Amino acid sequence: RTLSYHTRNPVFDQKVTHLMQIIESRLPADAMAPVYLGARSLRWATDHISFGALGDSYYEYIIKQYMLTGKTEKRYSDLMKRTLVGISKLLFTSTPSKMMYIAEFRAREFSHKMDHLACFIGGTIATSSQELEDLTVEERDQLLRIAGSLTETCVKMYTRQATGVSPEYVQFPQQQDFINGPGYYLSLIHI
């Protein structure tokens, strides 16, 4: 939409809108979109749901689409509300620190890991709490609490590292506090 707006060429908006219609028509009730949709078959090619790599942009832009349309396209509002229901099924809290995280779903089970790319979700949920219409005060407050908790976990993904740089992802084994995902080798470099 933004590209169409700036170029005054409606084709970009038309193509994205068409693609969103295809995706929406295939979503389950909770609006959780797997990360792969077959280009020819237009069927989900996996059950992998991620708010990190491969899934982040889709979920990030639902509320943005609603706002970019001046809140005139209710379908994006409805889709975001459905997405918030789906998100609630992926939220877990670690022990003992009570860090809230959004898990992935793959091969019919939860994967207790969180990519640093999923850290947008706190802002998306907070924005949704303020921009979506027809939410009660209690619903808005609950969404803000969730957004704050997820953002706090993301901050810890950075501040608990000697370098201040988050690993690609963290794991929450047995829903315990996070450990760095395999392959995180950064250490302090003294110059």
Side-chain angles (χ1 to χ4, degrees), residues 11-157:
V11 72
F12 305 110
D13 180 40
Q14 292 164 357
K15 292 195 179 289
V16 169
T17 299
H18 176 68
L19 182 58
M20 284 299 293
Q21 289 169 338
I22 291 170
I23 292 170
E24 285 177 72
S25 71
R26 284 150 179 80
L27 289 173
D30 66 6
M32 294 292 95
V35 296
Y36 294 112
L37 181 69
R40 288 196 174 95
S41 69
L42 298 179
R43 294 182 185 194
W44 300 117
T46 180
D47 71 345
H48 182 196
I49 296 169
S50 173
F51 281 77
L54 303 176
D56 54 332
S57 294
Y58 168 74
Y59 293 106
E60 183 178 357
Y61 278 89
I62 297 170
I63 191 64
K64 289 179 181 179
Q65 289 287 359
Y66 180 57
M67 294 168 66
L68 283 169
T69 64
K71 299 183 183 179
T72 59
E73 291 190 33
K74 189 171 176 354
R75 61 188 267 234
Y76 291 115
S77 172
D78 293 342
L79 180 57
M80 192 66 219
K81 288 176 185 176
R82 289 172 49 206
T83 299
L84 291 169
V85 170
I87 287 170
S88 70
K89 297 175 184 177
L90 297 172
L91 295 178
F92 293 88
T93 303
S94 72
T95 56
S97 297
K98 300 189 183 320
M99 286 185 274
M100 183 178 284
Y101 62 97
I102 187 162
E104 293 190 3
F105 187 81
R106 183 190 297 225
R108 298 188 182 138
E109 63 183 30
F110 293 104
S111 175
H112 294 273
K113 68 181 278 279
M114 185 169 165
D115 290 14
H116 75 99
L117 292 174
C119 286
F120 77 91
I121 198 63
T124 295
I125 293 171
T127 300
S128 298
S129 77
Q130 302 305 299
E131 298 296 334
L132 292 175
E133 298 168 4
D134 304 323
L135 294 178
T136 67
V137 171
E138 292 80 18
E139 289 170 325
R140 291 181 195 286
D141 289 346
Q142 176 66 13
L143 289 173
L144 284 174
R145 280 192 294 278
I146 291 168
S149 294
L150 288 168
T151 301
E152 187 175 322
T153 299
C154 286
V155 168
K156 289 177 182 173
M157 287 169 64

Side-chain angles (χ1 to χ4, degrees), residues 113-116 157 166-171 179-184:
K113 68 181 278 279
M114 185 169 165
D115 290 14
H116 75 99
M157 287 169 64
S166 173
E168 187 78 16
Y169 66 92
V170 295
Q171 297 171 312
I179 60 172
N180 292 344
Y184 183 73

